[in-house]
Amino acid sequence: MTKHSFLAFLLLSIIWSCGSQQKQVSNNNETDSLQDDVESYVEGSPKLVVGIVVDQMRYDYLTRFDKKFGTGGFRRMMNEGFNCKNNHFNYIPTYTGPGHASIYTGTTPKYHGIIGNNWYDKIEHDMIYCAGDDSVKSVGTNSSAGQMSPHRMLTTTFGDENRLFTQLQGKTIGIALKDRGAILPAGHTANAAYWFQGRDEGVWISSTFYMDALPKWVTDFNASNQAESYFKEWNTLYDISEYTESGSDENLYEGGFAGQDKATFPYDLNGLKTDNRGFDLLKATPYGNSLTTDFAMAAILGEQLGQDDITDVLAVSFSSTDYVGHNFGVNSKEIEDTYLRLDKDLERFFSYLDKNVGRGEYTVFLTADHGAVEVPAYLNSVNIPAGYVSNNERKKVFNAFLETTFGVTDLVENISNDQVFLNKTKMDELGLNRLEVQEQIAAEQLNYDHIAKVYTAKTMTNTNFTTGIEAMLQNGFNQKRSGDVVIVNDIGYIAYGETGSTHGSGLNYDTHVPLLFFGKGINKGHTFKRTEISDIAPTISALLGISFPNAAIGQPLEFVID
């Protein structure tokens, strides 16, 4: 090698060496930067995530009543946080149990298995309740009202995943007047779920799935007579003449309370409680939401939620809005007053969080488990197609068809939740082909008045629908739990009484619900982009940096997260 060649080789070696060192330094810097980002992300997690579900809240309640809301409740969430204005459920049926399960699991009944509040069990051959569990005992009451657990929900919640991620150090607490509104959101690993036992007790209870005895802070709350204090007059928060966003106080479309001739303000709750199942009456007034708020604030203190750097989860469901809606209807003055009072309860709840967890140290989302239809009788009065169906009348005609076609009526075991469950043993005895029977029954049902669509289990299982009612039915169809034939009523037609509102369909009045986020890690803004209820759990999981619930199908709403 010449002198010049040696010098050239030496120079190249130095350059390669420097480049290699520079690359190593660069990689080290990237690793350090990544570690810093991870540590910063963990340090930036909220101390407390609060999930709020407002039972039966339509999206348009946010806009209808906006001018009468204060600045610290719904408006605070909209002004300081992110408003998803086109948020929908993506399955049928839109009921309370499936709604709460779907919000927290990030999936639909197809996977989490909560296909209704109650449903016909094809193995037990009996109706079962979504949270019922005879293997556990009541805690806090001698009644059977505490025999509840989440054992029928097949998947994890984001609260479960947070518990696993934090080695069970992050707490999860569920609270609602309704047992299913507390239990399903809290998940399988929750520290506790509490619900309200009315009648002549007026106490918050739980089950041995969570504990052997109520903690002292709960027994102290129950002994405080806070529930008793709400047996007072329910009158409008403001002068009733200002309630221009709802219909007349006296009309034909409201149920009312036993013991009072007219469904009009004011309501003397103390005088009405005897004829309306005692403390259960409070559930059907805005004071049930106030009591829930009181108890949720007591839980924050009693459980020391949000007091360290390990994220806790508090799931709160406001159930009274559903009771009021079912009784008085979407367009009632009672529903307007209930939401104006809920706005006040949210304001004091957020103020309590500011003081006891720290402003900017917690994250909140608010949504609903379903919406509600306008009272069909009212819709008829303003020339909008709507009406009522009689399941009993349909059953008479259907039984006659079964007798004529198959020679028996017990070929069908059960009809519930707009689903027909066939007696497979009887079909085998008669030598009938199950799929052919499904098709014959579907064709018959489609002939009945105000039935829009009918599908067989075979269709739900073997056809991949991507849009429309069919896709929503499929997202709500669990192959092992759902029926053999699925029925869809005409738009605006319900199997219900002629007063008050109900829900359950895949139509906009039942699927379009609020989705608000605010607090730590949340951007400020709004979107009209379609979001779905199954997106909530993945979004919170992404915010916390934890695993998504194990069967989640939703996507993180990255435009929501800061």
Side-chain angles (χ1 to χ4, degrees), residues 49 55 59 97 157 160 170 211 216 220 245-246 249 300 329-330 397 413 426-427 444 446 459 470 493 537 548 554:
V49 171
D55 205 319
Y59 174 79
T157 64
D160 287 327
M211 63 194 73
K216 185 177 184 301
D220 287 347
E245 296 78 16
S246 47
D249 191 29
I300 291 169
V330 166
V397 177
E413 286 190 3
K426 177 61 71 173
M427 284 191 290
E444 169 67 13
L446 195 57
T459 300
E470 293 78 9
Y493 279 79
F548 292 7

Side-chain angles (χ1 to χ4, degrees), residues 1-12:
M1 182 180 295
T2 66
K3 180 178 180 181
H4 292 293
S5 298
F6 175 77
L7 289 174
F9 174 78
L10 183 61
L11 181 59
L12 286 173

Side-chain angles (χ1 to χ4, degrees), residues 234-533:
W234 175 23
N235 208 341
T236 52
L237 184 62
Y238 307 115
D239 191 289
I240 198 168
S241 64
E242 297 179 18
Y243 284 35
T244 55
E245 296 78 16
S246 47
S248 60
D249 191 29
E250 184 175 351
N251 59 69
L252 301 175
Y253 315 117
E254 301 175 2
F257 297 120
Q260 182 164 324
D261 293 338
K262 295 181 178 180
T264 56
F265 284 106
Y267 299 97
D268 175 13
L269 302 184
N270 193 53
L272 291 170
K273 64 182 179 182
T274 301
D275 292 331
N276 293 273
R277 296 162 53 100
F279 283 97
D280 281 346
L281 174 62
L282 295 180
K283 298 178 182 180
T285 76
Y287 298 135
N289 290 333
S290 299
L291 180 62
T292 302
T293 306
D294 298 336
F295 191 73
M297 293 191 298
I300 291 169
L301 180 62
E303 298 288 347
Q304 291 292 288
L305 300 178
Q307 298 307 303
D308 56 33
D309 292 331
I310 301 174
T311 302
D312 298 321
V313 175
L314 175 62
V316 181
S317 182
F318 290 105
S319 307
S320 291
T321 43
D322 185 68
Y323 291 110
V324 175
H326 277 293
N327 191 357
F328 296 97
V330 166
N331 200 44
S332 64
K333 294 237 185 306
E334 286 80 1
I335 204 72
E336 179 169 0
D337 192 70
T338 296
Y339 277 90
L340 297 184
R341 290 180 179 275
L342 176 58
D343 184 58
K344 296 292 185 184
D345 283 323
L346 289 174
E347 181 173 6
R348 67 187 178 97
F349 184 51
F350 295 153
S351 295
Y352 188 87
L353 289 168
D354 288 342
K355 181 179 178 181
N356 291 275
V357 179
R359 190 180 182 101
E361 295 295 337
Y362 60 90
T363 304
V364 181
F365 71 81
L366 181 148
T367 189
D369 55 347
H370 52 73
V373 64
E374 290 266 14
V375 179
Y378 168 68
L379 292 177
N380 285 164
S381 74
V382 293
N383 300 319
I384 294 176
Y388 301 91
V389 298
S390 171
N391 286 334
N392 288 333
E393 290 302 315
R394 280 183 181 174
K395 188 174 181 179
K396 290 178 183 178
V397 177
F398 184 48
N399 280 341
F401 160 79
L402 293 174
E403 182 71 44
T404 301
T405 306
F406 303 106
V408 295
T409 58
D410 59 350
L411 195 65
V412 171
E413 286 190 3
N414 179 269
I415 303 176
S416 56
N417 294 328
D418 295 323
Q419 297 182 25
V420 179
F421 293 81
L422 298 177
N423 185 330
K424 294 176 175 54
T425 301
K426 177 61 71 173
M427 284 191 290
D428 290 342
E429 288 177 2
L430 297 173
L432 297 173
N433 181 285
R434 297 180 185 183
L435 299 182
E436 290 178 359
V437 173
Q438 286 182 13
E439 293 291 349
Q440 287 175 283
I441 287 176
E444 169 67 13
Q445 289 282 336
L446 195 57
N447 291 325
Y448 299 164
D449 289 343
H450 306 305
I451 288 182
K453 297 173 182 290
V454 184
Y455 295 97
T456 65
K458 178 184 177 183
T459 300
M460 287 290 101
T461 303
N462 296 340
T463 306
N464 183 30
F465 296 109
T466 58
T467 60
I469 292 294
E470 293 78 9
M472 298 178 72
L473 285 170
Q474 200 163 50
N475 282 337
F477 188 88
N478 183 281
Q479 193 172 3
K480 292 194 71 171
R481 295 183 175 182
S482 296
D484 297 281
V485 177
V486 182
I487 300 165
V488 180
N489 287 321
D490 279 345
I491 297 169
Y493 279 79
I494 59 175
Y496 201 66
E498 295 193 9
T499 60
S501 298
T502 193
H503 49 87
S505 79
L507 298 161
N508 284 327
Y509 48 73
D510 283 336
T511 68
H512 191 194
V513 298
L515 178 55
L516 305 174
F517 295 87
F518 99 109
K520 191 162 191 176
I522 301 300
N523 281 324
K524 180 179 177 180
H526 69 268
T527 185
F528 287 103
K529 178 181 178 181
R530 181 183 172 94
T531 59
E532 296 184 337
I533 213 71

Side-chain angles (χ1 to χ4, degrees), residues 145-194:
Q147 291 186 276
M148 305 288 170
S149 83
H151 76 108
R152 288 195 168 96
M153 186 167 67
L154 304 176
T155 63
T156 62
T157 64
F158 75 77
D160 287 327
E161 297 299 338
N162 186 63
R163 290 273 287 159
L164 294 172
F165 183 83
T166 62
Q167 303 303 309
L168 304 183
Q169 295 179 80
K171 285 188 174 183
T172 300
I173 305 290
I175 292 169
L177 295 178
K178 294 181 181 180
D179 47 53
R180 58 188 179 271
I183 291 167
L184 299 175
H188 302 277
T189 62
N191 300 82
Y194 300 102

